[in-house]
Amino acid sequence: MSAVENGIGASVTRKEDQRFITGNGNYLDDINKAGQAYGHFLRSPYAHAKIKNIDLTAARAAPGVIDIFVGADMAADEVGGLICGWGISSKDGSPHVAPPHPCLAMGSVKHVGDQVAFVVAESVQEAKDAAELIEVDYEELPSVTDVRKAGVAGAAQVHDEAPGNQCYDWEIGDKEAVDAAFANAHHVTKMDLINNRLAPNPMEPRAALGEYDRGTGEYTLYTTSQNPHVARLILSAFVNIAPEHKLRVIAPDVGGGFGSKIFVYAEETTTIWASKKVGRPIKWTADRSEAFMTDAHGRDHATHAEMAFDADGHILGFRVATKANMGAYLSTFASAVPTYLYATLLNGQYKMPCIYAEVQALFTNTTPVDAYRGAGRPEATYVVERMMERAARDMNMDPTDLRMKNFIAPDAYPYETPVIMTYDSGDYPQTLNLAKNMISYDGFQARKAESASRGKLRGIGSAAYIEACGIAPSAAVGSLGAGVGLWESAEVRFNPTGSVTVFTGSHSHGQGHETTFAQLIADKLGVPFDNVEVVHGDTTKVPFGMGTYGSRSLAVGGSAIVKAADKIVEKAKKIAAHLMEASADDIEHAHGVFSVAGTDKQLTIGEIAFAAYVPHNYPEDLEPGLAENAFYDPLNFTFPAGTHIAEVEIDPATGVVEVVDWAAADDFGNVINPMIVEGQVHGGVAQGIGQALLEGVVYDDDSGQLLTGSYMDYCMPRADDLPNFKVEATNTPCPSNPLGVKGCGEAGAIAAPAALMNAITDALGKEIDMPATPEKVWRAAQSA
Amino acid sequence: MYSFEYERPSGIDAAAAAHGEDDKFLAGGMSFLPTLKLRLAQVDKLVDLGGIDELKGITVTGDTVTIGAMTTHGTVAASEDVKKAIPALAAMAANIGDAQVRNRGTIGGSIANADPAACYPSSLVALGATVHTNKRSISADDFFVDLFETALEEGELVTKVSFPIPEKAAYAKFPNPASRFAMVGVFVAKISGGARVAVTGAGSSVFRQSEMEAALSSNFSSDAIANIKTPADDLNSDIHASADYRAHLITVMAQRAVDAAS
Amino acid sequence: MTSVTMTVNGKSVTRDVEPNTLLVQFIRENLRLTGTHVGCDTSQCGACTVHVNGDSVKSCTMLAVQAEGADVTTIEGLANGDELHPMQEAFKENHGLQCGFCTPGMIMSAVDLVKRNPNPSEDTIRHELEGNICRCTGYHNIVKSVKSAAEKMGG
């Protein structure tokens, strides 16, 4: 429990809730500007086509139309296309292939929903009406959507620049060592696994509002972004919208992201550019259909994996070959997801002597694929943990026993894996045992028998996941191809009356930073929680920032705040020493109270702040004011880990799977707000259950049409699809950051799919791929 | 949405008079408004039936439950009279769409739209209901013609539906996991002199499963239909369920409905 | 243009609208009450849920003109001045929201749910919330919030 009220470790209710529960949130579409026009995109109805001609005559004459733009207009203005910010090299050393990614089509369209033209009108209605009058002469071309078919000879070519549709063919690990390990294996388990494509579906659709000020030459872009400074950097340095000091990017209240709002998309780019062209603010708001067609999708891997064991069940080596679908273009961080965020986690929680992984990334005529909650790590956990469960079944062992036998020992840290990660802390046996206790693992056979008496199939399955998050040390990611650094910045600014404003480069879109970060200040500096305001999401207010993704906000952004707070304490000590006529060395500090050692003299941080801003009696060599900036670059990733166990009951007559119990035992290191952390686990598990049971983007194999383009066909988890979750935590503090925290936002989505599929396949006694739809399960149950 | 005119008459005759070519009656709008929103349909005028009080309400006489066309699913689900007379009907209504849809969606709108995956059509057909319009009465068997197609003529307006009270009945629905419409829904009714079985969601329109009806007429038990298979040839097949699977579910849902019938 | 008059959050409002104006557009754009959100275009997510004559409806699937004469309550009208509705309070106390986008619709549905089911079981709550999609919470704490509010509302 925290030493101060609402400090570290307290389940404080959230500051931000007041505005959300009363309808006073400020989401993008809630913002309107005087003289605002509305933008609408004409999109490709085809998966792949050549554009022979675009005739705008009738559309331009339609009522309310202000202007209409096509790709050539942006090119004429030297506005560039979109970029991928992470370079991956193939086995042969060649760089990945990144074909042009224009905001508006330049002669061809590559997926259903690709932008063809941008209509700006007085109303959305008029913009849509006019878009229907645009005559586009398409020549439809053959398409390919399935990643397993994209690299096959004769497959439709998405880009001339990428022969065989290959983006890269990458490897990691030691092939020779793995080959040798397999040669000596007592047992080899092999699996082919599909990691289904997901649509991220934050409930707030993406939107943008662009405005250009002719007086100052400044652009202001309101955008649904998880990282407004990164968006500014890309729009400025690579897309050529405006220099950074003339471009303000604001991400107001954002209604969920899950990765999909990290990226810089064509829509906000076109909107901000066009706002200057038409001389009026322009608002564009996606509808859900557009979200399905254009929000970067997640996952979409096809993997073959082989694991070698000795006679005692110890892992000897692991061999993985994955085909990763990039979609039609390389999205902002797409190339990193199936490589450094995926294959580097194939070691799982285990002592694996050697690993060799190959990843071939391929273009298809589909929506681009990029990071989605977990990003690479759910795919890795899915491969490792489906393999472990399967291997245990093959070797007639309890799957949890096989895991226990292979776990890295709690005293083995730091632990270097064969795939470049150095795990810094953990206790995997502890979380596994906790999860087993939580779900009464030992009582499963009795429950299975009871289900059987009612004609139901019961199954149990585990996933012992690990993730690398708190992404991450700039030097490390730079050496792996990242185009940016991954530090975070913060400013802690005392106001003269003692309240505090915290500026953070992290961005909250549901995570509750305004609360958690205020708790840090309350704890470190003794300022009442209610007197702390957290500001984020505006490049003009916040010094700089790298944003929120990869479960990094607390580990990296929170640590920056702590660093700034430490600087405040250092300065406050000098002021306190002066005011109390003591040596700075004799000043002791705890939670905002500064005292002279061995005396009863003390001052509060509020009194010191006042003195700093009204420096009538003040150290001569010290600047007035009490505000400090800090940048924090972590020493390592953090490595949250744990075990989730799922229990299911299947109705063999219909194939319906009911998730009857869920135990999540997670080690997130130190926890600032347990209520918020549990909420993050709930949400992550729900998305993981969604992936395993309900969700999946489907394209028509022949036409390339998106068949799951709305909630009529893409199955979102509803309240009645899910159970209550049992969530508990263990704690091995992270040694790599001052808070000892590890990151919790993605864990559920990483652990859940493998745990649930292990439970379902346990019940069925045979393998099926995700999503485990009723028909698939029914068919398996029939032939079981 | 494309533009249209709007009229809200307060009587049935006025509504019929207001309806011209390329116009549409608007009942609850739970299917038609989304269609308009996605620009999948265009009308000159919407004639809103929401202001016509005589189209609303439930009456139960000795052997018949009569439901006004503009009565919402929520009203039917909550009606003590319906729960007593035909509990299966109230229970079915309680599972149409979601709570908000049940607060707006109406029986008249549902059956006039004749969505192949809607729940209501199966209850009308299984219970042998009669659809009353401003011009005539039509038996449920004749009312549903095909995919989104009914016996209604241009400008003809459903006013109410009357359901004979069965000995017992039940509806079992296997929802499409995404849309929650019926992927397969089976309504069974035991009536004097036999049984009726109507299937929705599986074909292009609601249909009767006559083999099951025959079996249940002589023995109203789930065992009696356990081995009756519906040919998959004419059934729907999509990304959620193949025709084979739907055929299988018809038997399972029918059995479950028989077991639940009260 | 058609004139439409309705009561919104206790205040009578009259505006001229095109007949194809949705109730949610009327609320958000004409009245500038932006607490009611739009999260889909197929009438499924429930972010736009408001009360019309006391019943929860999806304001994206109703025309403004259909609300002629109706009594409409939006999330902005739920609290009694500064005093939060017990459902609002419960969502905050039980961490029943994260990004907050689905929350107004979720709360409006939950209030109607408790009106119809004063003492709802967990199953009832989960079933009755079928028309509201949340991507953040996994519903666990939403169910907890609704249960807790129902108790406080005297169920």
Side-chain angles (χ1 to χ4, degrees), chain A residues 550-613:
Chain A
S551 305
R552 71 192 302 272
S553 293
L554 186 59
V556 189
S559 293
I561 293 171
V562 169
K563 259 188 89 175
D566 287 344
K567 291 185 186 177
I568 291 274
V569 168
E570 282 315 300
K571 184 169 181 180
K573 276 185 177 174
K574 291 178 189 163
I575 301 168
H578 176 86
L579 293 173
M580 294 190 284
E581 297 176 335
S583 157
D585 293 340
D586 291 336
I587 302 294
E588 294 175 342
H589 168 251
H591 307 299
V593 177
F594 295 79
S595 50
V596 182
T599 75
D600 58 359
K601 287 204 268 188
Q602 62 176 49
L603 285 169
T604 67
I605 189 82
E607 292 168 306
I608 294 167
F610 189 78
Y613 286 100

Side-chain angles (χ1 to χ4, degrees), chain A residues 646-658:
Chain A
E647 194 163 319
V648 299
E649 191 175 82
I650 293 173
D651 178 353
T654 59
V656 169
V657 176
E658 187 188 353

Side-chain angles (χ1 to χ4, degrees), chain C residues 4-142:
Chain C
V4 61
T5 298
M6 67 186 90
T7 303
V8 178
N9 299 333
K11 247 170 61 184
S12 175
V13 294
T14 302
R15 296 285 191 282
D16 287 335
V17 298
E18 294 292 345
N20 64 356
T21 305
L22 295 167
L23 179 59
V24 70
Q25 291 175 307
F26 181 79
I27 291 167
R28 286 181 56 81
E29 294 166 21
N30 295 65
L31 304 182
R32 294 279 186 227
L33 291 170
T34 55
T36 302
H37 299 146
V38 177
C40 78
D41 43 19
T42 50
S43 308
Q44 280 159 312
C45 81
C48 64
T49 303
V50 300
H51 293 174
V52 174
N53 298 328
D55 294 331
S56 62
V57 307
K58 290 176 176 170
S59 63
C60 78
T61 315
M62 184 169 173
L63 302 171
V65 288
Q66 287 182 285
E68 171 69 32
D71 190 357
V72 175
T73 306
T74 71
I75 188 71
E76 289 93 342
L78 196 59
N80 181 12
D82 284 343
E83 188 193 333
L84 293 175
H85 186 281
M87 192 61 74
Q88 292 171 310
E89 194 71 55
F91 268 69
K92 181 181 166 121
E93 285 302 316
N94 294 286
H95 192 28
L97 64 150
Q98 290 182 24
C99 83
F101 193 80
C102 78
T103 309
M106 195 68 78
I107 288 177
M108 297 309 282
S109 283
V111 170
D112 187 39
L113 179 175
V114 174
K115 185 190 78 181
R116 284 180 284 108
N117 306 273
N119 190 13
S121 67
E122 187 192 319
D123 281 352
T124 301
I125 294 169
R126 288 183 181 274
H127 174 66
E128 287 283 333
L129 290 178
E130 200 178 6
N132 292 80
I133 299 176
C134 167
R135 191 55 149 170
C136 294
T137 64
Y139 304 97
H140 180 111
N141 285 341
I142 290 176

Side-chain angles (χ1 to χ4, degrees), chain A residues 84-89 96 167-168 170 172 262-263 301 324-326 330-345 359 361 369-372 374-377 379 420-421 468 471 477-478 480-484 486 549 637:
Chain A
C84 177
W86 198 308
I88 298 294
S89 297
H96 73 224
C167 175
Y168 55 74
W170 174 90
I172 192 169
I262 297 171
F263 321 119
H301 285 192
N325 198 334
M326 293 287 100
L330 267 191
S331 176
T332 314
F333 290 108
S335 55
V337 176
T339 48
Y340 291 110
L341 297 179
Y342 164 68
T344 55
L345 276 307
V359 179
V369 179
D370 206 325
Y372 166 66
R377 290 149 293 168
E379 295 93 312
I420 71 170
M421 286 292 177
I471 182 171
V477 296
L480 303 179
V484 292
L486 286 171
Y549 40 82
F637 292 87

